[in-house]
């Protein structure tokens, strides 16, 4: 049920208009007159009311505001599906008791480096290799990624290590290639509201790791998930990766509130990327531990053999030895909150 709050001094003619509009749409109106305010409870399946229809009610004379009880996201919502969604990727399940750590370089640079990083993170306990072949760089003059060659390197590393691949898709024109090589398609923060791209990945059943936009609200993140799910692909993993705030001490502000909030609002698995969230390698470990403690189902962590020589995001990349120490500590945190790694 949704609630329409009326302005003080609303006329009975205005109320009649609102009630008529609701009844014409197949709803019943429950008018409740308080001492200061009159409200109308809308009875019926209000999940079918669109945002545009809500706005048209909001513009009617006498209406002050509208409270939606049912969220605008449906398929992504806990109201729609109470049990946690489990996403199968090869022999792994994301969203269950086990916490998955997806680790690797920001960008795929060359085969020997990728292979070395992958075998190190695997040894430490990571279950996925991450690495971008298509990189959304702020400057067009920065390294843009190796493209399809990078995807082929990822496939080769997968074959050698057995680690499934998480890699970013930036453009629907590359979808066939990325589908061929990726086990999980990453949609980056900058593309969270690229609705055509979301619809495109929604047309397949390949799992999608959807990163929160730089200045997206939690509701907008869930609406972006809804775009993918409404096309039929329900295998969506949400990722908190930090948002823009006034704070300049860190690259972004990692919003760990988002983890329990998303878990409450949605049944989808939630992972955290402390590398982009913090932007500095020495902040990654404390935030990774905090993320698991907050209930995250996994982590996305940048690791590089030589961060000082990385072609992107070296300043936030862990070296394999620090990553190995972190994995040990994460096991203890996971145990404390009833999870395993
Ligand atoms: C990345 O994972 O390397 C990346 C570009 O992340 P984001 O889209 O969150 O900035
Ligand atoms: Mn990066």
């Amino acid at each position: 049920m949704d609630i329409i709050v009326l302005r003080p001094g609303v006329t009975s003619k205005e109320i009649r208009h609102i009630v008529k509009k609701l009844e014409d749409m197949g709803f019943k109106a429950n008018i409740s007159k308080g001492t200061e305010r009159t409200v109308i409870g809308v009875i019926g399946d209000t999940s079918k009311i669109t945002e545009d229809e809500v706005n048209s009610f909001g513009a009617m004379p006498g209406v002050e505001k509208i409270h939606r009880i049912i969220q605008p996201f449906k398929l992504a919502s806990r109201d729609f599906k109470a049990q946690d969604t489990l996403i199968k990727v090869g022999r792994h399940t994301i969203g269950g008791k086990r916490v998955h750590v997806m680790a690797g370089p920001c960008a795929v640079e060359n085969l020997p480096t990728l292979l070395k990083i992958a075998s190190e993170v695997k040894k430490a306990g990571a279950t996925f290799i991450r690495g971008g072949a298509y990189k959304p760089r702020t400057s067009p003059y920065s390294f843009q990624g190796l493209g399809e060659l990078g995807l082929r390197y990822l496939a080769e590393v997968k074959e050698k290590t057995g680690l499934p691949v998480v890699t970013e898709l930036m453009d629907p024109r590359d979808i066939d290639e990325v589908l061929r090589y990726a086990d999980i398609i990453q949609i980056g923060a900058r593309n969270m509201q690229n609705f055509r791209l979301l619809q495109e990945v929604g047309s397949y059943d390949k799992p999608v790791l959807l990163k929160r936009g730089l200045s997206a609200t939690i509701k907008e993140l869930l609406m972006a998930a809804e775009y993918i799910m409404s096309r039929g692909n329900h295998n969506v993993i949400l990722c908190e990766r930090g948002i823009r705030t006034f704070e300049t001490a860190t690259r972004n502000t990692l919003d760990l509130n988002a983890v329990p909030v998303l878990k409450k609002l949605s049944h989808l698995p939630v992972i955290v990327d402390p590398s982009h969230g913090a932007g500095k390698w020495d902040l990654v470990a404390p935030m990774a531990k905090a993320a698991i403690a907050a209930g995250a189902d996994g982590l996305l962590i940048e690791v590089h053999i030589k961060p000082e020589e990385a072609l992107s995001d070296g300043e936030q990349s862990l070296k394999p030895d620090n990553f190995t120490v972190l994995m040990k500590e994460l096991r203890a945190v996971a145990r404390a909150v009833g999870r395993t790694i």
Side-chain angles (χ1 to χ4, degrees):
M1 190 181 92
D2 289 356
I3 292 166
I4 302 173
V5 181
L6 303 175
R7 289 185 197 285
V10 61
T11 66
S12 43
K13 190 170 165 216
E14 287 167 345
I15 295 177
R16 274 203 308 279
H17 264 124
I18 299 162
V19 170
K20 167 125 193 351
K21 188 169 158 85
L22 286 168
E23 287 173 352
D24 287 349
M25 289 170 73
F27 297 105
K28 282 204 172 94
N30 182 316
I31 302 168
S32 159
K33 284 202 164 79
T35 46
E36 287 171 24
R37 277 286 195 286
T38 299
V39 300
I40 301 177
V42 184
I43 299 164
D45 182 5
T46 55
S47 68
K48 294 202 166 57
I49 302 179
T50 65
E51 289 290 287
D52 289 334
E53 284 166 341
V54 171
N55 292 338
S56 79
F57 273 104
M60 290 182 83
V63 173
E64 182 163 294
K65 61 185 170 194
I66 295 168
H67 282 303
R68 293 215 78 180
I69 307 296
I70 303 270
Q71 301 284 3
F73 40 91
K74 297 176 178 60
L75 300 171
S77 144
R78 261 273 181 227
D79 298 333
F80 178 81
K81 177 172 179 280
Q83 325 88 292
D84 286 344
T85 283
L86 303 177
I87 298 180
K88 281 242 178 266
V89 190
R91 60 194 176 84
H92 298 307
T93 302
I94 298 172
K97 188 170 179 196
R98 180 162 187 193
V99 167
H100 285 277
V101 180
M102 306 167 182
C106 178
V108 176
E109 298 172 356
N110 59 67
L111 184 57
T113 305
L114 184 66
L115 193 53
K116 181 97 178 81
I117 297 170
S119 46
E120 293 279 0
V121 299
K122 184 185 176 185
K123 202 162 45 164
T127 39
F128 288 80
I129 178 76
R130 65 140 289 151
Y134 299 97
K135 294 304 304 175
R137 304 305 299 280
T138 301
S139 164
Y141 308 116
S142 302
F143 176 58
Q144 303 286 307
L146 296 179
E148 191 173 3
L149 181 62
L151 294 175
R152 279 194 253 126
Y153 290 162
L154 284 163
E156 203 161 326
V157 164
K158 177 184 171 182
E159 202 174 299
K160 292 214 162 75
T161 61
L163 292 175
V165 168
V166 182
T167 197
E168 178 161 353
L169 171 70
M170 285 174 58
D171 186 323
R173 285 172 293 191
D174 303 320
I175 193 159
D176 290 336
E177 281 165 27
V178 174
L179 278 168
R180 194 172 327 132
Y181 298 106
D183 295 284
I184 299 180
I185 298 181
Q186 178 172 321
I187 298 294
R190 290 156 191 80
N191 270 320
M192 189 204 83
Q193 286 186 315
N194 183 337
F195 299 117
R196 292 292 298 269
L197 184 64
L198 299 177
Q199 287 173 333
E200 196 63 34
V201 296
S203 311
Y204 301 85
D205 58 6
K206 181 80 75 179
V208 177
L209 192 166
L210 176 64
K211 300 189 89 175
R212 182 177 180 180
L214 277 75
S215 36
T217 63
I218 288 172
K219 184 167 148 185
E220 286 163 342
L221 171 59
L222 288 167
M223 290 308 286
E226 193 75 19
Y227 258 91
I228 300 170
M229 299 173 82
S230 65
R231 282 289 172 116
N233 188 351
H234 290 200
N235 298 318
V236 180
I237 303 158
L238 305 168
C239 179
E240 164 59 40
R241 50 77 71 204
I243 48 174
R244 283 265 164 94
T245 67
F246 52 80
E247 183 54 73
T248 54
T250 49
R251 182 177 179 184
N252 289 294
T253 297
L254 187 65
D255 177 16
L256 286 183
N257 287 333
V259 177
V261 171
L262 285 168
K263 287 270 164 195
K264 192 156 66 179
L265 293 176
S266 176
H267 51 85
L268 295 171
V270 179
I271 73 163
V272 170
D273 170 356
S275 307
H276 293 85
K280 279 287 293 164
W281 71 268
D282 57 331
L283 303 176
V284 170
M287 299 318 289
K289 287 181 264 185
I292 301 301
D297 297 301
L299 294 166
L300 191 67
I301 298 183
E302 288 184 340
V303 177
H304 201 283
I305 304 292
K306 288 195 180 131
E308 64 282 8
E309 287 174 18
L311 296 179
S312 67
D313 287 350
E315 66 283 17
Q316 66 194 34
S317 298
L318 291 180
K319 289 184 183 166
D321 52 350
N322 285 328
F323 179 71
T324 305
V325 172
L326 171 60
M327 286 298 288
K328 279 206 187 87
E329 294 173 344
L330 288 175
R331 276 187 201 102
V333 178
R335 206 176 313 121
V337 293
R339 311 288 293 263
T340 58
I341 288 195

